[in-house]
Amino acid sequence: MPVLKPRDWSSNAPLYYPPYRSTVLRAPKQTLIELDHPEDISGPVYDGARLDLLDHDLTQNARSSGAPIGERIEVNGQVLDDTGKPQAGILIEVWQANAAGRYIHRADTHDAPLDPNFTGAGRCMTDDDGRYKLITIKPGAYPWGNHENAWRPQHIHFSLIGSSLLTRLVTQMYFPGDPLLDIDPIFQGVPDFARERLVSTLEPGSETHDCALGYRFDIILRGRNETPPELDS
Amino acid sequence: MTSSPKQTPSQTVGPYFAYGLTAERSGYPFSQWIGSKTSSSDHVSLTGRVLDGEGQAISDAMVEIWQSEHSELLRAGTDDNGRYEFTIARPNISVGMVPSLLVTVFMRGLSSHVFSQLYFPDFEDQNDQDPTFSAVPAARRSTLIARKSGHHGYAHDIYMQGENETVFFDL
């Protein structure tokens, strides 16, 4: 019976991490309780047929008067588990700021303009090879008040739900060479050997070459240890 | 042979997920696939607050619950008072299983989501037979039991930190 591998906590930021100020009152302080015989929990199965044609294209799914402002990019990637197995049927939900670094969320009061043709929300599902494609505008950096002159690096938020609820992941995709990465507490909280897994790489997409700059972002979820049949109980 | 790929680290969900993940209930113009109401006709309400280490309301949290008997994933954000609202299928005991919900919590200030469980007061005697429930030190089990609310509903507060800190699991 395959057993789900543990969460790789050593590759994650500590929950309590004072340089990221909000963690101080929100991070659980008690040790997380482990179970002797943890059970994998099968999750929901999503029907890809429900996707609207433009759900994956944030440059088109919220237009009112024309194209959104900013650098058009294509993000391609593959979702695998940490045994290298492609993950089909994963629901990916994304959200992000516009090119000026402004979210449509009411709570974002940053003095940067909203774009009437951009909401910055989208979704897609991985195909049988675990691959996905998104088309969007490169989001701007924005100030966030964590410390003096704190600016988040450019990033796209990703949420992934697959066949197991225990492999659920919420993360952020960053862009190569962004100078803000070196001084962002949210990114820097991740141990240094693991940080590169959050940074996309420049890679041409499949759209016509002069249409959108391509980035690649693979995402690796928890996998399963296959146990030999004779040890099955 | 190539070495196995390594798990992608988590990052916080941040404060602005609502228009993407909980759009309809938050009033944004984007369709929401994962809602907060069960499709079961026999349903009850489950509400509660998410609170920080000083007992203050967390108005930008997201809670997901999984009701395995119905294979339903529900999702809700908290409001300005830190309150979330679900309509869940009425919990019923079934063969060999005590009803419980898997609870997943996300928020600004939480770099990785955390898991909890929710049990129901109607099944107090049977809860102890649940292996997950009994793995929790007795003194902390009450943080996982909902309380009755109104005629048919339940209420449950989630304390991220402090003397009433909810039990979270490493699943």
Side-chain angles (χ1 to χ4, degrees):
Chain A
M1 182 83 193
V3 171
L4 196 61
K5 294 164 76 175
R7 266 167 104 168
D8 182 8
W9 289 106
S10 70
S11 294
N12 276 283
L15 293 180
Y16 182 79
Y17 185 68
Y20 176 16
R21 278 201 300 140
S22 308
T23 66
V24 170
L25 289 177
R26 295 175 172 208
K29 292 256 177 99
Q30 302 283 332
T31 309
L32 305 184
I33 293 184
E34 286 181 52
L35 302 179
D36 281 337
H37 302 286
E39 233 182 270
D40 197 354
I41 298 174
S42 294
V45 175
Y46 293 105
D47 181 2
R50 285 177 65 189
L51 285 168
D52 282 338
L53 277 177
L54 297 182
D55 269 351
H56 74 292
D57 187 344
L58 287 68
T59 70
Q60 295 209 64
N61 71 10
R63 287 196 187 192
S64 62
S65 53
I69 297 283
E71 305 167 54
R72 190 163 187 262
I73 63 172
E74 185 181 318
V75 179
N76 288 294
Q78 197 179 18
V79 181
L80 305 168
D81 73 13
D82 63 358
T83 69
K85 187 168 169 234
Q87 302 293 294
I90 302 279
L91 173 64
I92 300 177
E93 297 167 279
V94 296
W95 67 104
Q96 59 166 90
N98 66 18
R102 178 81 187 271
Y103 284 87
I104 66 158
H105 195 292
R106 297 178 200 110
D108 183 0
T109 54
H110 172 41
D111 178 28
L114 287 167
D115 186 327
N117 296 300
F118 190 78
T119 307
R123 75 189 129 223
C124 60
M125 285 183 68
T126 56
D127 66 15
D128 290 342
D129 284 328
R131 295 183 192 279
Y132 73 90
K133 176 196 294 296
L134 295 160
I135 301 173
T136 185
I137 295 295
K138 194 172 187 202
Y142 63 85
W144 63 299
N146 183 77
H147 54 274
E148 186 163 333
N149 207 28
W151 287 76
R152 293 286 351 270
Q154 294 166 292
H155 62 278
I156 300 175
H157 291 269
F158 276 70
S159 163
L160 291 92
I161 304 181
S163 59
S164 165
L165 285 168
L166 303 187
T167 65
R168 180 105 176 73
L169 182 70
V170 162
T171 191
Q172 297 181 27
M173 177 189 112
Y174 299 98
F175 292 86
D178 188 336
L180 289 172
L181 289 171
D182 287 342
I183 54 173
D184 174 58
I186 290 178
F187 181 75
Q188 291 289 316
V190 173
D192 57 9
F193 65 86
R195 287 176 203 149
E196 63 174 8
R197 303 176 211 164
L198 297 172
V199 185
S200 60
T201 54
L202 207 59
E203 190 177 288
S206 60
E207 301 281 294
T208 51
H209 291 167
D210 55 2
C211 189
L213 192 57
Y215 288 92
R216 183 176 177 106
F217 184 57
D218 291 340
I219 301 161
I220 312 300
L221 304 179
R222 289 166 76 177
R224 288 171 180 79
N225 281 318
E226 300 290 334
T227 52
E230 61 268 23
L231 294 180
D232 263 5
S233 54
Chain B
M1 180 173 117
T2 55
S3 62
S4 299
K6 302 285 183 220
Q7 290 175 28
T8 301
S10 288
Q11 295 277 261
T12 181
V13 77
Y16 302 139
F17 60 82
Y19 69 90
L21 302 185
T22 57
E24 280 166 20
R25 289 293 290 265
S26 312
Y28 291 100
F30 187 67
S31 68
Q32 185 176 339
W33 273 27
I34 303 171
S36 60
K37 291 190 192 325
T38 180
S39 55
S40 289
S41 51
D42 186 18
H43 52 252
V44 295
S45 74
L46 170 66
T47 71
R49 299 175 76 206
V50 184
L51 301 154
D52 74 11
E54 287 179 347
Q56 298 301 307
I58 295 176
S59 58
D60 53 3
M62 180 169 82
V63 180
E64 288 182 350
I65 61 179
W66 174 253
Q67 214 163 4
S68 58
E69 312 92 83
H70 300 274
S71 292
E72 265 190 322
L73 182 69
L74 303 178
R75 171 192 285 169
T78 52
D79 66 14
D80 289 342
N81 297 311
R83 180 165 296 282
Y84 66 85
E85 264 185 53
F86 287 103
T87 305
I88 61 170
R90 184 187 305 278
N92 277 313
I93 208 146
S94 53
V95 176
M97 269 180 57
V98 152
S100 68
L101 302 177
L102 173 72
V103 179
T104 313
V105 184
F106 306 80
M107 65 185 70
R108 162 179 69 90
L110 201 57
S111 302
S112 296
H113 60 277
V114 287
F115 292 115
S116 188
Q117 289 272 114
L118 187 58
Y119 296 87
F120 297 92
D122 323 61
F123 312 105
E124 212 176 310
D125 299 332
Q126 295 97 328
N127 286 338
D128 292 338
Q129 286 153 39
D130 181 85
T132 304
F133 188 79
S134 52
V136 175
R140 296 190 68 205
R141 288 179 195 163
S142 60
T143 70
L144 300 181
I145 309 176
R147 57 185 191 275
K148 284 196 178 290
S149 171
H151 288 301
H152 301 293
Y154 299 96
H156 178 66
D157 297 327
I158 299 170
Y159 293 84
M160 298 308 298
Q161 219 189 68
E163 59 180 18
N164 297 315
E165 185 176 312
T166 298
V167 166
F168 296 108
F169 296 88
D170 183 13
L171 297 179

